[in-house]
Amino acid sequence: MKLSIITINYNSSENTIKLLESLRNQTDKDFEIIVVDNNSDDVEQLMDYRTQETNIIYIKNRENTGFAGGCNKGIEEALKKGSEWIILLNNDVWVESDFIASLKPILASKKGILGLPIDEGGETISCGGIIRWLRPTLSHGHGIINSGAQVGSDNNNMKHRYAIGGGMCICDSVFKKIGYLDENYFLYFEDADFSLKAQKFGITFYFPDKPVIHHSVSASTKKLGSPMLLRYHYRNALYFNLKNGPWYIKLLVWPWSWLNFSKQIFKIIIKRESEASKAILLGIIDFYLGRFGKIVSSI
């Protein structure tokens, strides 16, 4: 069974190297690593590490294509090389030395998508995400999905669950059946979108209780700055709900956007969190103008 681990680097070489070090120390070393760099400015440290670890495949994008675009580039490369399972890991996670050895027996008997349990600090483990309609963010479920649960598209309990992109294993047959990640998002919601699409095609999901991956929450995306993150969140939330919601949610997307727009105008007038409100307004405008992918300018 051939495994390919894909991670995306964007101006975060230190985190990426920490992940690569944890992968180098695996007891089972029979797997492939693909690092996709999204046109980072500070890749010197990563390139120095590359000279020491020649078995890692590095792909350098000419522009920042976001999480989905970077993953898709790595997925294409992995499938060309005949990988049977693609493992997506955030570059700001690290794994125990028995990660691959524990994961292989689980994957050997499965077909579909496997959501890895993620330790995000504190006392709980994220076991898949939770979809809540008409919200600007999606939350990670802490212990809501029972350990070891197998959930198919015909199970009502799966309707509001998704596999978190920071720790997701995907069988090669899934891509052949449903395609790749939607690059319109650039950042946020793409994992939930991919999961819902897979459910519609009858792909089976699994949420084992191990192996656990360890995550430093949002270490990479913090570099974008809070207002920009808000802009992505609101734009993508509108797109996600209109694309994936049931019929009544698709109808409610429009009044929900108007309500949010009016609320931000009011906050700007009274000079309350004006910078954040302006970013949210721009995100809503982006949605209406069909400006998806990377946000490159304001209006």
Side-chain angles (χ1 to χ4, degrees):
M1 178 173 56
K2 184 171 183 179
L3 307 183
S4 289
I5 295 176
I6 297 172
T7 193
I8 312 303
N9 180 70
Y10 179 67
N11 291 340
S12 189
S13 294
E14 186 175 344
N15 285 324
T16 302
I17 291 171
K18 182 178 179 180
L19 167 61
L20 295 178
E21 279 292 296
S22 70
L23 293 172
R24 185 179 73 159
N25 295 326
Q26 292 299 299
T27 55
D28 183 337
K29 300 181 183 298
D30 185 19
F31 61 95
E32 175 182 76
I33 302 173
I34 300 174
V35 177
V36 181
D37 181 78
N38 263 335
N39 196 29
S40 299
D41 297 322
D42 62 343
V43 292
E44 293 82 4
Q45 188 178 2
L46 185 58
M47 291 302 97
D48 288 343
Y49 186 85
R50 177 183 183 178
T51 63
Q52 305 170 35
E53 298 295 325
T54 57
N55 61 326
I56 300 173
I57 299 171
Y58 287 88
I59 299 174
K60 175 74 173 178
N61 279 335
R62 295 182 178 179
E63 61 180 341
N64 183 2
T65 58
F67 179 78
C71 285
N72 286 344
K73 193 77 171 179
I75 292 165
E76 289 176 0
E77 181 67 20
L79 293 178
K80 284 180 185 177
K81 294 181 175 296
S83 291
E84 298 169 68
W85 278 93
I86 311 295
I87 304 169
L88 304 182
L89 294 180
N90 272 4
N91 75 315
D92 52 3
V93 308
W94 61 275
V95 295
E96 304 284 354
S97 61
D98 63 347
F99 173 72
I100 294 295
S102 299
L103 185 59
K104 277 188 175 180
I106 299 172
L107 298 180
S109 60
K110 304 287 190 291
K111 292 288 184 182
I113 296 176
L114 186 145
L116 294 169
I118 303 176
D119 179 3
E120 296 181 322
E123 300 178 353
T124 57
I125 303 294
S126 293
C127 300
I130 306 169
I131 293 171
R132 293 190 175 98
W133 301 115
L134 302 180
R135 304 284 182 89
T137 60
L138 299 174
S139 62
H140 293 178
H142 298 288
I144 290 179
I145 300 177
N146 293 330
S147 297
Q150 173 180 329
V151 194
S153 61
D154 59 344
N155 189 316
N156 290 331
N157 292 329
M158 191 58 206
K159 289 182 178 179
H160 300 290
R161 303 288 186 263
Y162 68 93
I164 299 169
M168 182 192 299
C169 305
I170 311 167
C171 183
D172 60 345
S173 60
V174 173
F175 299 108
K176 296 170 185 175
K177 194 170 185 179
I178 73 171
Y180 295 170
L181 299 171
D182 185 344
E183 297 184 20
N184 277 339
Y185 291 101
F186 185 81
L187 180 70
Y188 301 127
F189 286 89
E190 56 274 276
D191 49 1
D193 179 273
F194 187 79
S195 292
L196 287 180
K197 185 177 180 181
Q199 291 169 33
K200 292 174 183 177
F201 276 80
I203 304 298
T204 303
F205 284 69
Y206 308 88
F207 295 91
D209 57 1
K210 62 179 183 180
V212 175
I213 62 176
H214 306 275
H215 185 213
S216 301
V217 182
S218 299
S220 57
T221 55
K222 283 180 181 177
K223 294 180 181 294
L224 291 172
S226 295
M228 184 61 78
L229 297 187
L230 284 171
R231 186 171 173 180
Y232 275 112
H233 270 299
Y234 276 81
R235 182 200 68 178
N236 290 353
L238 289 166
Y239 175 62
F240 174 80
N241 279 268
L242 185 64
K243 179 181 178 183
N244 297 293
W247 67 269
Y248 60 92
I249 293 297
K250 295 178 188 292
L251 292 177
L252 289 174
V253 161
W254 308 107
W256 183 57
S257 69
W258 305 332
L259 177 63
N260 276 304
F261 194 92
S262 301
K263 181 179 178 181
Q264 305 317 315
I265 293 290
F266 177 73
K267 290 174 72 174
I268 291 172
I269 291 173
I270 65 174
K271 298 181 179 180
R272 180 183 175 188
E273 301 177 347
S274 297
E275 187 177 2
S277 292
K278 289 176 183 177
I280 293 171
L281 283 178
L282 287 173
I284 296 171
I285 292 170
D286 287 335
F287 167 74
Y288 272 88
L289 295 180
R291 298 192 305 208
F292 298 108
K294 183 181 180 182
I295 295 173
V296 294
S297 63
S298 58
I299 61 172

